[in-house]
Amino acid sequence: MPNDIPLREDIVRDLELARDRTLELTDLDEPELLAQHDPLMSPLVWDLAHVGQQEELWLLRGGDMTRPGMLAPDVDSLYDAFKHRRADRPALPLLPPVEARSFNHEVRGRVLDVLERTPDEQLFTAGMVVQHEEQHDETMFATLQLRQGPPVLLERRSLPPGRPVAGERVLVAGGPFVLGVDAADEPLSLDNERPAHTVDVAPFWIGRVPVTNAQWREFIGDGGYRRPGLWSDRGWAHRVQAGLERPEFWTAGGTRRRFGLEEDVPPDDPVQHVCYFEAEAFAAWSGGRLPTETEWEKACAWDPSTQARRAWPWGSAPPGPEVANLGGLGLRPAPAGAYPAGASAYGAEQLIGDVWEWTSSDFTPWPGFVPMIYRAYSEPFFGGDYKVLRGGSWAVAPAAIRPSFRNWDHPIRRQIFTGVRLAWDA
């Protein structure tokens, strides 16, 4: 069932919600914003100005970098993500926080004026800008998790209790289904999600919920990090080189560090901060495997009774706190089994939110792929060393996720909010 076509006021609302999150995440002392908290991440002040620079580029300049912008050319180029590696960004003459906020505010005022005159059929670019800013907000959550020091973020939402469903699996019957989406159904979908096309999938089982911390602790206790037979050759080489012994931010004493706090590892929460190679080894230890992204999307979005896609696993209603953990207010995944009302037609739960789920699939285009206005969003990454992740995390905004959304990253990455859902042949 298609999502409703977004109205102009929906786009404006989502732009404001994204900016509110950006400003909350950067409401910090200047030294915190200027510091690089990890070589993998940009200084927060770079992200702060980058979201405004990209908004100005796409909504005021039509994506044309050769057109004069509101920033001087030498400053504008500082926020080109392809030109400057994250590790190099602290040394750049970036806009100070006060100037970055002022620039963003001025850009937004001009953008709102332009959107009043923009035809409905041309609002896709504004929706793309919303998703871009929300993606950077999630990146800033990851930066603040890597940051050392006392907490600067506080939980603002309690999460529902879980149920004892860890380890359960549900059957997804074989047969054809529609993979991917078209603009008519998902007008704000990005290029790598399109076009919709029919594929045939063999029957398989998939985990009702993601793998939990308690299950991962069993893997550790059974020598999972010391048994090369569970790992791929490349995965084992990385495990040895990186010295992996447990998920990132877990301590040898059985606690974890989360946004500046040390706490016991909650056994029922989905495990997070594990790389693809760890996920692959855990799956082998469990007697299962990682799902393909095609299997994952069928389990998430297909309704076998109607032989049609659902807009969301649970149906057509937009995400709310009763069906999914999104938006970042809880600062962690919800316990397994916390959202029975969010189950898909097959009974799989927590497919949207909580943790990004590694799949076994490489990042490649769907047949008939056509790049969108931002050609460099997907195309440069096809065929590279990237594995696809699905479903979003607790830090993802509702405007930046859907069942067809495809994320990708290097198989060694652990700083993002990644987890695992198992699959089995049927």
Side-chain angles (χ1 to χ4, degrees):
M1 181 175 181
N3 277 331
D4 292 335
I5 296 176
L7 302 173
R8 188 182 316 274
E9 52 265 34
D10 296 328
I11 297 288
V12 171
R13 176 205 63 206
D14 289 341
L15 280 167
E16 294 304 320
L17 289 173
R19 184 54 46 83
D20 288 346
R21 274 221 308 175
T22 298
L23 294 176
E24 289 172 2
L25 289 166
T26 56
D27 186 17
L28 304 170
D29 293 339
E30 186 165 312
E32 297 280 9
L33 298 176
L34 299 179
Q36 185 176 44
H37 297 289
D38 188 275
L40 288 173
M41 314 304 285
S42 307
L44 291 169
V45 73
W46 186 90
D47 290 284
L48 175 62
H50 172 75
V51 296
Q53 184 265 350
Q54 289 290 292
E55 181 174 333
E56 189 255 2
L57 172 64
W58 292 106
L59 297 182
L60 300 182
R61 286 189 275 164
D64 185 354
M65 286 286 289
T66 65
R67 285 177 56 185
M70 293 168 58
L71 296 173
D74 58 333
V75 178
D76 190 53
S77 68
L78 300 177
Y79 300 98
D80 185 336
F82 288 93
K83 186 174 182 180
H84 301 287
R85 299 181 311 134
R86 288 179 175 179
D88 299 334
R89 291 171 190 170
L92 300 175
L94 302 173
L95 292 176
V98 171
E99 292 183 29
R101 293 188 186 100
S102 176
F103 166 68
N104 286 355
H105 181 73
E106 185 175 353
V107 169
R108 178 57 55 85
R110 297 189 188 188
V111 162
L112 293 178
D113 288 341
V114 168
L115 290 180
E116 289 183 0
R117 306 186 301 274
T118 303
D120 290 349
E121 63 271 16
Q122 295 177 19
L123 288 173
F124 167 81
T125 307
M128 181 186 76
V129 166
V130 169
Q131 294 177 77
H132 172 265
E133 181 158 351
E134 292 288 18
Q135 289 168 10
H136 273 272
D137 289 345
E138 185 182 12
T139 298
M140 288 192 277
F141 272 114
T143 300
L144 291 168
Q145 167 63 13
L146 287 161
R147 167 188 170 273
Q148 300 290 328
V152 294
L153 294 180
L154 298 175
E155 298 173 13
R156 292 188 290 145
R157 175 187 292 164
S158 60
L159 299 173
R163 303 172 2 258
V165 293
E168 292 185 8
R169 60 181 78 175
V170 299
L171 178 65
V172 180
F177 90 105
V178 177
L179 174 66
V181 293
D182 290 322
D185 293 331
E186 289 281 4
L188 298 184
S189 57
L190 304 178
D191 55 8
N192 63 60
E193 303 170 58
R194 305 176 183 177
H197 56 292
T198 300
V199 297
D200 203 351
V201 180
F204 64 98
W205 296 88
I206 195 166
R208 182 179 297 278
V209 293
V211 170
T212 65
N213 290 324
Q215 291 174 287
W216 204 272
R217 197 177 289 285
E218 291 180 22
F219 171 65
I220 296 173
D222 197 39
Y225 283 88
R226 301 190 301 275
R227 295 164 56 182
L230 298 174
W231 300 67
S232 66
D233 290 345
R234 187 178 171 206
W236 182 253
H238 175 68
R239 191 218 70 77
V240 172
Q241 180 183 22
L244 304 183
E245 297 179 346
R246 61 189 70 87
E248 190 164 11
F249 307 114
W250 285 27
T251 70
T255 62
R256 71 176 181 186
R257 181 169 59 82
R258 183 172 65 93
F259 294 105
L261 293 173
E262 186 167 332
E263 61 187 15
D264 292 336
V265 176
D268 298 327
D269 284 11
V271 70
Q272 61 177 351
H273 298 300
V274 293
C275 72
Y276 171 82
F277 294 131
E278 290 169 285
E280 193 179 39
F282 179 91
W285 173 80
S286 301
R289 58 176 174 81
L290 300 180
T292 67
E293 66 165 324
T294 300
E295 290 173 330
W296 188 99
E297 189 166 321
K298 183 173 185 179
C300 180
W302 192 245
D303 188 333
S305 64
T306 62
Q307 290 294 294
R309 288 181 67 96
R310 292 179 171 183
W312 299 97
W314 51 84
S316 59
E322 71 285 351
V323 292
N325 179 19
L326 294 166
L329 297 180
L331 293 184
R332 66 179 179 88
Y339 297 103
S344 74
Y346 297 101
E349 302 173 20
Q350 292 172 271
L351 287 157
I352 298 294
D354 288 310
V355 289
W356 287 105
E357 299 177 9
W358 287 109
T359 73
S360 61
S361 299
D362 297 326
F363 186 51
T364 58
W366 294 150
F369 168 83
V370 176
M372 59 188 180
I373 184 173
Y374 179 17
R375 296 186 65 96
Y377 179 75
S378 302
E379 260 188 324
F381 303 96
F382 289 143
D385 185 25
Y386 301 101
K387 289 295 183 179
V388 174
L389 302 110
R390 289 301 200 105
S393 77
W394 58 264
V396 169
I401 194 62
R402 55 200 154 262
S404 57
F405 189 89
R406 305 170 72 199
N407 191 8
W408 66 94
D409 211 332
H410 294 291
I412 64 173
R413 292 290 184 247
R414 306 206 298 172
Q415 85 280 5
I416 52 180
F417 305 107
T418 51
V420 185
R421 187 185 299 262
L422 296 178
W424 300 263
D425 295 337

